[in-house]
Amino acid sequence: MGARIGLKDVALRAGVSVPTASRVLSGVQRNVDPELALRVRNACEELGYRVNAAARALRIQSTDSLALVVPAIANAYFAELVSAYARRLDLEGKRLVTIDTGESPETERRQLGAMDRVLVDAVLVVPAAFERSGAAITELARSNRVVQVDRRARGVEAPSVRLDNAAGVRLLVEHLRARGRRGILMVDAQEDSSSSIERTAAFRALAGPDDRVLEMPNFTVASGTDAARLLLADPGETDAVICTADTVALGLLTALQHAGKRVPAEYALASFDGTYISDTAAPGLTTLGSTAELMVEASLALLDGDSDDVVLKPELVVRGSSG
């Protein structure tokens, strides 16, 4: 086995001093001629030299990496959120570490408790639960920069960026009412998330005598399919449905169509999220517009020093599912 390639070898191949090579590879290139910096990088490639990430982080007190903790990457909304962060950070030459907690506060607690073994500059967290996520996130925030994204946990002082869920519910309800719909079913999840709590509370405050809430186990296509089965078994006066996730709306739409029901003629349908699902469904889903890019920009601004929570204003995107 040959001798290990070191920084001295890189400097010798590039024809520069060791301190110059060190500044280039540490990302501190002030007062380094661009031509010399290029020679150092070329020398690394020729020799197969790789920078020790841990040592570099200790030297410059930065890893150029952020962690994003999401409840379920299989959910189209969180998948698009991960993608939006990855694209944004790549533009800055930074990396994203993604952790999926499976909507489990216990898994979240274990993952956040082990975060000291992950080399990142800050942690962006979508809390798994409003009540049960607070202690773990509070503990994490004692030694890390933390921003809550999309959801909040009770008692956590770390700043947050989220959608105005009450305003979003109001937009969807008023839109369906304007279309002449009088019996609205809201399909939500039983999960203890701040978004579910806020949306259900807002809907109940606006609900008429023929409106009702159906809580399913989670935000999945299967939950939408089961919700359609329950609706058809007990249709009542329902002529419109609001789903609090596009994945749920897709399952419900498909199940209604398989049962021979017409959307929107018999059931108008609207949803949150505004993911790719809303465009590709047939008919297209009336939704609130996607907030992924706005979430990314606002949360990064909070990491850069903005102190106030950010509440994003929802926008209605009308498609064929609501008539």
Side-chain angles (χ1 to χ4, degrees), residues 62-227:
S62 175
T63 66
D64 286 336
S65 300
L66 297 180
L68 174 61
V69 182
V70 297
I73 201 169
N75 183 309
Y77 175 75
F78 293 124
E80 292 194 1
L81 190 64
V82 169
S83 179
Y85 273 110
R87 290 194 304 271
R88 179 64 172 78
L89 293 176
D90 184 61
L91 292 175
E92 299 180 6
K94 297 181 179 180
R95 294 169 295 279
L96 181 69
V97 177
T98 305
I99 297 171
D100 187 337
T101 63
E103 294 283 8
S104 166
E106 290 74 23
T107 300
E108 180 183 65
R109 176 181 54 78
R110 290 194 299 271
Q111 294 290 345
L112 295 185
M115 195 60 69
D116 59 347
R117 300 198 294 269
V118 181
L119 291 173
V120 295
D121 296 328
V123 184
L124 305 151
V125 184
V126 182
F130 181 61
E131 295 291 348
R132 293 189 288 160
S133 292
I137 298 175
T138 296
E139 181 64 27
L140 177 71
R142 291 195 174 104
S143 56
N144 294 269
R145 289 189 296 159
V146 174
V147 171
Q148 301 177 91
V149 179
D150 185 62
R151 302 176 178 178
R152 295 175 296 160
R154 185 189 292 278
V156 176
E157 295 184 3
S160 69
V161 52
R162 61 192 187 277
L163 181 70
D164 186 337
N165 286 298
V169 169
R170 190 179 310 112
L171 278 176
L172 294 175
V173 169
E174 290 177 351
H175 170 70
L176 293 172
R177 295 281 191 235
R179 292 292 193 274
R181 308 293 171 151
R182 291 296 174 262
I184 302 176
L185 172 68
M186 169 172 270
V187 181
D188 200 359
Q190 295 170 340
E191 297 167 347
D192 170 33
S193 69
S194 62
S195 54
S196 287
I197 293 169
E198 291 166 2
R199 292 170 188 179
T200 300
F203 182 75
R204 292 189 189 281
L206 296 170
D210 295 324
D211 298 333
R212 50 183 173 151
V213 175
L214 178 59
E215 293 187 335
M216 303 305 296
N218 46 45
F219 295 111
T220 62
V221 173
S223 284
T225 301
D226 290 341

